[in-house]
Amino acid sequence: MRIAVTGSIATDHLMTFPGRFTDQLIPDKLDKVALSFLVDTLEIRRGGVAANIAFGLGCLGLRPLLVGTAGTDFAEYRGWLRGHGVDTAGVRESALHHTARFVGTTDAVMNQIASFYPGAMSEDVDIDLGELAGQVDLILIGASDPDAMLRFTAQCREHQIPFAADTSWQLARFDGGQVRQLVTGAAYLFCNEYEATLTEHKSGWTADQLTEQVGVRVTTLGSAGARVDRRGRPPIIVAAVPDVQPQEPTGAGDAFRSGFLAAIAWGLSLERAAQLGNMMAVHALETTGTQEYSLKPANVAERFAAAYGELAAQEIARHFS
């Protein structure tokens, strides 16, 4: 199964604040917030949702096609991704803009405040996914330039290319009609719990109605694991991996998506897909930086067996070893 991944390609600036953001918020003054947080650390890492997902797929032995726009400062990053199994032939280099930047600060209880500068990503709107018809089996539409995301889903429907919708960070930019346009007809819809509720609110659809619009609806639940919904069938609830030692949350959702899609590409069940998604998310969560984790098959198998049983671990190990 050939997977293409669209979305942001970025450099991450990750900082940590030793206190709690909520302790600095005064309820009756939230209409005029002016805060500065003195941070303890700064890590500059490779990131962007599309690059993160492609990285995870590459580490699992697939060769995903990364599609997006970066700046002329992308050469070293391109080499890194190629070295981890990612096909970067679909990445255009802008002559006008730098590669996008993500700036995020995480507090002591894993709350995060972030900003994102699109840079070269604003040129994603010039990409035509119709050119991939017949070359890929699934395209993940990740958070990118909002106009580009709308064009991408329309192009996938026009050319009958199966796609996965992942509005994530850009959900706040879309109105109800645009949300409905983004998700209608998707083979998979990825959201976290908050995004799922916001998607329902903006679209005007109930949870069941939203599920009716897509093939498979995947909702990550943080420490509660993940839920998979399908039309007319009972939901699949998958518990989280136990005994997690979180370091930094950025990229955990992207890693989940890479694990889920890898299992789908291998022909495994939706339950196994969510389990592998959870396992990949933990690897990102326990590492500072979205692409700094490494996968050791023996360790993955051992931890998978402890979390989901020996049979589940054997099914995964047959494809990843």
Side-chain angles (χ1 to χ4, degrees):
M1 183 178 183
R2 180 74 159 143
I3 299 174
V5 184
T6 76
S8 62
I9 301 166
T11 300
D12 290 348
H13 294 245
L14 307 175
M15 293 168 279
T16 56
F17 174 64
R20 298 162 60 107
F21 294 142
T22 53
D23 291 340
Q24 316 307 316
L25 300 175
I26 301 174
D28 61 352
K29 296 294 183 181
L30 294 180
D31 59 327
K32 296 181 180 179
V33 177
L35 289 171
S36 175
F37 298 97
L38 181 63
V39 300
D40 284 350
T41 62
L42 167 65
E43 300 280 351
I44 300 177
R45 305 290 188 183
R46 306 169 187 90
V49 296
N52 293 340
I53 295 169
F55 172 85
L57 287 166
C59 288
L60 287 166
L62 286 81
R63 186 167 172 77
L65 175 66
L66 178 60
V67 179
T69 312
T72 55
D73 53 342
F74 184 63
E76 182 180 354
Y77 196 171
R78 186 188 292 273
W80 166 267
L81 291 169
R82 285 176 173 172
H84 288 83
V86 177
D87 182 352
T88 62
V91 179
R92 305 163 67 250
E93 290 193 11
S94 169
L96 301 175
H97 301 100
H98 289 290
T99 300
R101 296 286 187 274
F102 172 86
V103 181
T105 303
T106 302
D107 72 4
V109 292
M110 295 290 117
N111 294 315
Q112 187 177 75
I113 296 175
S115 299
F116 189 85
Y117 165 70
M121 191 185 78
S122 62
E123 299 178 30
D124 281 1
V125 71
D126 298 324
I127 296 173
D128 182 5
L129 296 185
E131 298 175 356
L132 298 179
Q135 300 182 39
V136 298
D137 302 293
L138 179 73
I139 299 179
L140 183 135
I141 311 297
S144 175
D145 175 82
D147 290 335
M149 295 174 70
L150 291 167
R151 285 174 56 87
F152 288 167
T153 54
Q155 290 166 359
C156 285
R157 284 189 288 263
E158 177 186 355
H159 295 279
Q160 299 184 334
I161 307 171
F163 68 96
D166 182 12
T167 54
S168 60
W169 295 104
Q170 293 293 39
L171 187 56
R173 293 290 298 267
F174 297 117
D175 61 28
Q178 291 171 325
V179 170
R180 291 191 292 271
Q181 182 179 341
L182 283 167
V183 306
T184 299
Y188 302 92
L189 171 62
F190 290 100
C191 299
N192 63 29
E193 196 168 14
Y194 183 84
E195 291 160 354
T197 301
L198 185 57
T199 299
E200 293 166 16
H201 174 74
K202 285 200 164 191
S203 68
W205 289 327
T206 65
D208 288 342
Q209 288 171 333
L210 180 56
T211 302
E212 285 289 325
Q213 301 299 319
V214 300
V216 176
R217 183 182 179 191
V218 185
T219 308
T220 56
L221 307 173
S223 61
R227 174 187 175 113
V228 181
D229 290 286
R230 296 163 294 169
R231 291 187 293 266
R233 299 186 185 184
I236 300 169
I237 308 295
V238 175
V241 176
D243 303 321
V244 177
Q245 302 296 321
Q247 295 295 319
E248 213 281 332
T250 308
D254 300 332
F256 176 93
R257 287 147 175 77
S258 67
F260 189 97
L261 292 174
I264 294 300
W266 294 335
L268 300 182
S269 68
L270 292 172
E271 180 183 23
R272 292 287 179 267
Q275 290 169 344
L276 184 56
N278 285 343
M279 184 63 65
M280 291 293 288
V282 164
H283 277 75
L285 185 61
E286 293 182 335
T287 308
T288 298
T290 59
Q291 298 176 28
E292 304 304 318
Y293 61 87
S294 60
L295 301 178
K296 298 179 180 179
N299 292 343
V300 171
E302 180 180 358
R303 198 168 186 182
F304 211 98
Y308 301 119
E310 196 63 42
L311 176 60
Q314 291 173 3
E315 289 187 13
I316 295 296
R318 281 198 288 268
H319 299 277
F320 173 61
S321 59

